[in-house]
Amino acid sequence: MLFVNTCGNFLVLVALSTHVGSTTGSGLLAGGVLSAPWLPALLLAAPLNRLLSKRAPEGLVRLAEAASLLVTAAALLAPDRALLVVAASVLVARGFFESVTRSATSVVLRNVVPSQRLDQANTVAEICKLTGVSVGAALAGPAASVLSLRGLIAVNVATLALSALLAWALPSAPGKSVADAKDGAASKTGARLRVQDPVLRRLFARFLLVAFWQGFHTVAVTVIPLHLLGGGTRLVGVFVAVSAVAIFAGSLASLPAQRYLAHVPSTTWLLLPMVPLLAAVAVARTAATIVLYALFLVLFEVAFVHYNNRLLASASDEELPSVVTLRATLLPSGVAVSILAMGALSDLAGPLTAAFVVVGITVVVTAATADTGQARRRRLRSARSGRSRRPASATR
């Protein structure tokens, strides 16, 4: 479902952004179209949190997919003169429903997947979303050359119809009604959008750091080949293509690596990617820089999957709605802020300085979010007590 949903949505999103950029000549407007689906998640975080706190997540996914389908199908009725504006407006309106789908799907997985397989399930979900984004973006160019904007929207309607059908097949949590459980959790927390667990707060800080890397990468794929390597648009294309393959490879590598990630200190996944990043900008040779930067992206994706899984696995039932809501809102916020800051810094001081700033911020955040000995001992005691209470059948 996640693959079908993101593939169709990004097919239209990228094609519409390209169309707006070529029609208006404005990179700002084209970028605004690309960021449009994430705006509602930032503005409507509180309603999203209340929905996740009080409603069964599988029901929310079904309603969100049905609403996305209806809104997108309605755009087909728009006249030709207004179709571009209507399509852009649909992207904004549909952004909230897409946020509901992404967040509620994480809750569904938490409710129905056994704890020992949760990391694997969350990793597969991220791979499906990333694959859908990559395939949809890759198909946008060829599809736009043979289909009109209305035809692209019709293709998106078909993919949304399929994802809506798949949403109805989502399982419910066994035993107690999930809606009842969420109502109980909401009564305890008042559906407040906040996280009180200090461990989760540290994980969120590290998750936002990874979002900061994403913003740097968005700027770096253009700045490094043009200004550091002295290349042209062809080298930018090569750099972008290699980067996309590296991120996809990193997500795939995260799946078999799940059994080892928890056995390595968590700070490793923050500091290790900095080594190839520094080497890539320091060597400033085309082939070597591309290879080293690709290695940085592979490790970056492993870090993203690691901290995403830790957030979803560590949250209590009461705080899970707030966790998935903040994840859906803070991640794009962190990326947007990072793009602006790293873009300005790269223009003023160059990509080498920007890379050193990324490394410096990473070291500071890593030190500030390090586990204290007391917190580590408390977590070990909780893990031991959990194992002692586990029934024998669960260990087989």
Side-chain angles (χ1 to χ4, degrees), residues 18-154:
T18 303
H19 181 71
V20 169
S22 60
T23 301
T24 64
S26 172
L28 178 61
L29 288 177
V33 171
L34 280 175
S35 60
W38 284 272
L39 182 62
L42 300 176
L43 300 178
L44 300 172
L48 175 59
N49 184 59
R50 286 194 292 270
L51 283 174
L52 292 169
S53 300
K54 298 180 179 180
R55 302 292 181 223
E58 63 276 7
L60 286 176
V61 175
R62 293 164 189 158
L63 289 175
E65 290 301 286
S68 294
L69 174 60
L70 292 175
V71 169
T72 308
L76 293 174
L77 304 177
D80 290 338
R81 289 183 301 175
L83 184 59
L84 183 60
V85 175
V86 170
S89 302
V90 164
L91 290 179
V92 177
R94 206 174 64 185
F96 180 72
F97 303 128
E98 294 175 4
S99 298
V100 172
T101 294
R102 290 191 297 268
S103 301
T105 302
S106 298
V107 181
V108 171
L109 289 175
R110 166 72 174 262
N111 288 339
V112 302
V113 176
S115 58
Q116 63 269 23
R117 295 175 54 198
L118 184 59
D119 283 353
Q120 184 181 18
N122 286 326
T123 303
V124 171
E126 289 300 322
I127 292 173
C128 289
K129 285 188 284 189
L130 180 61
T131 305
V133 170
S134 302
V135 172
L139 292 177
S145 64
V146 297
L147 293 173
S148 64
L149 178 57
R150 195 180 299 274
L152 292 171
I153 294 175

Side-chain angles (χ1 to χ4, degrees), residues 198-213 266-271 274 303 307 334 338 342 356-372:
V199 174
L200 285 179
R201 290 181 178 180
R202 287 196 294 268
L203 285 172
F204 258 119
R206 295 183 173 190
F207 192 65
L208 283 177
L209 177 62
V210 178
F212 182 75
W213 295 352
S266 184
T267 53
T268 301
W269 306 112
L270 291 179
L271 299 177
M274 297 299 98
Y307 289 111
S338 177
M342 289 295 100
F356 274 109
V357 169
V358 170
V359 174
I361 291 175
T362 299
V363 172
V364 170
V365 172
T366 302
T369 58
D371 288 349
T372 62

Side-chain angles (χ1 to χ4, degrees), residues 9-379:
N9 292 348
F10 268 81
L11 171 67
V12 172
L13 180 63
V14 174
L16 184 60
S17 173
T18 303
H19 181 71
V20 169
S22 60
T23 301
T24 64
S26 172
L28 178 61
L29 288 177
V33 171
L34 280 175
S35 60
W38 284 272
L39 182 62
L42 300 176
L43 300 178
L44 300 172
L48 175 59
N49 184 59
R50 286 194 292 270
L51 283 174
L52 292 169
S53 300
K54 298 180 179 180
R55 302 292 181 223
E58 63 276 7
L60 286 176
V61 175
R62 293 164 189 158
L63 289 175
E65 290 301 286
S68 294
L69 174 60
L70 292 175
V71 169
T72 308
L76 293 174
L77 304 177
D80 290 338
R81 289 183 301 175
L83 184 59
L84 183 60
V85 175
V86 170
S89 302
V90 164
L91 290 179
V92 177
R94 206 174 64 185
F96 180 72
F97 303 128
E98 294 175 4
S99 298
V100 172
T101 294
R102 290 191 297 268
S103 301
T105 302
S106 298
V107 181
V108 171
L109 289 175
R110 166 72 174 262
N111 288 339
V112 302
V113 176
S115 58
Q116 63 269 23
R117 295 175 54 198
L118 184 59
D119 283 353
Q120 184 181 18
N122 286 326
T123 303
V124 171
E126 289 300 322
I127 292 173
C128 289
K129 285 188 284 189
L130 180 61
T131 305
V133 170
S134 302
V135 172
L139 292 177
S145 64
V146 297
L147 293 173
S148 64
L149 178 57
R150 195 180 299 274
L152 292 171
I153 294 175
V155 171
N156 194 197
V157 168
T159 59
L160 284 170
L162 179 56
S163 64
L165 289 174
L166 293 172
W168 283 98
L170 288 175
S172 300
K176 184 180 178 180
S177 168
V178 179
D180 292 342
K182 294 303 176 188
D183 285 338
S187 65
K188 295 179 183 179
T189 63
R192 291 182 297 238
L193 184 57
R194 64 182 182 181
V195 174
Q196 296 178 324
D197 187 348
V199 174
L200 285 179
R201 290 181 178 180
R202 287 196 294 268
L203 285 172
F204 258 119
R206 295 183 173 190
F207 192 65
L208 283 177
L209 177 62
V210 178
F212 182 75
W213 295 352
Q214 174 65 51
F216 166 78
H217 165 63
T218 303
V219 175
V221 290
T222 302
V223 173
I224 287 179
L226 287 180
H227 300 298
L228 184 67
L229 301 179
T233 55
R234 180 176 297 180
L235 184 58
V236 172
V238 172
F239 211 85
V240 170
V242 173
S243 297
V245 172
I247 292 176
F248 189 67
S251 66
L252 291 179
S254 299
L255 187 58
Q258 287 303 309
R259 67 185 68 181
Y260 307 109
L261 292 181
H263 300 294
V264 179
S266 184
T267 53
T268 301
W269 306 112
L270 291 179
L271 299 177
L272 188 59
M274 297 299 98
V275 177
L277 174 60
L278 277 181
V281 296
V283 69
R285 296 289 187 271
T286 300
T289 296
I290 290 176
V291 171
L292 289 168
Y293 193 81
L295 179 58
F296 157 69
L297 291 177
V298 170
L299 296 173
F300 153 74
E301 187 63 23
V302 172
F304 174 83
V305 171
H306 172 69
Y307 289 111
N308 178 68
N309 290 349
R310 294 279 62 75
L311 270 175
L312 296 175
S314 303
S316 65
D317 291 339
E318 292 80 5
E319 291 188 312
L320 183 60
S322 294
V323 167
V324 295
T325 301
L326 290 172
R327 187 187 62 151
T329 55
L330 292 180
L331 180 61
S333 301
V335 172
V337 170
S338 177
I339 289 174
L340 294 175
M342 289 295 100
L345 183 60
S346 296
D347 289 344
L348 294 173
L352 183 60
T353 301
F356 274 109
V357 169
V358 170
V359 174
I361 291 175
T362 299
V363 172
V364 170
V365 172
T366 302
T369 58
D371 288 349
T372 62
Q374 183 179 0
R376 211 165 20 237
R377 287 192 296 270
R378 186 168 59 248
R379 212 164 45 248

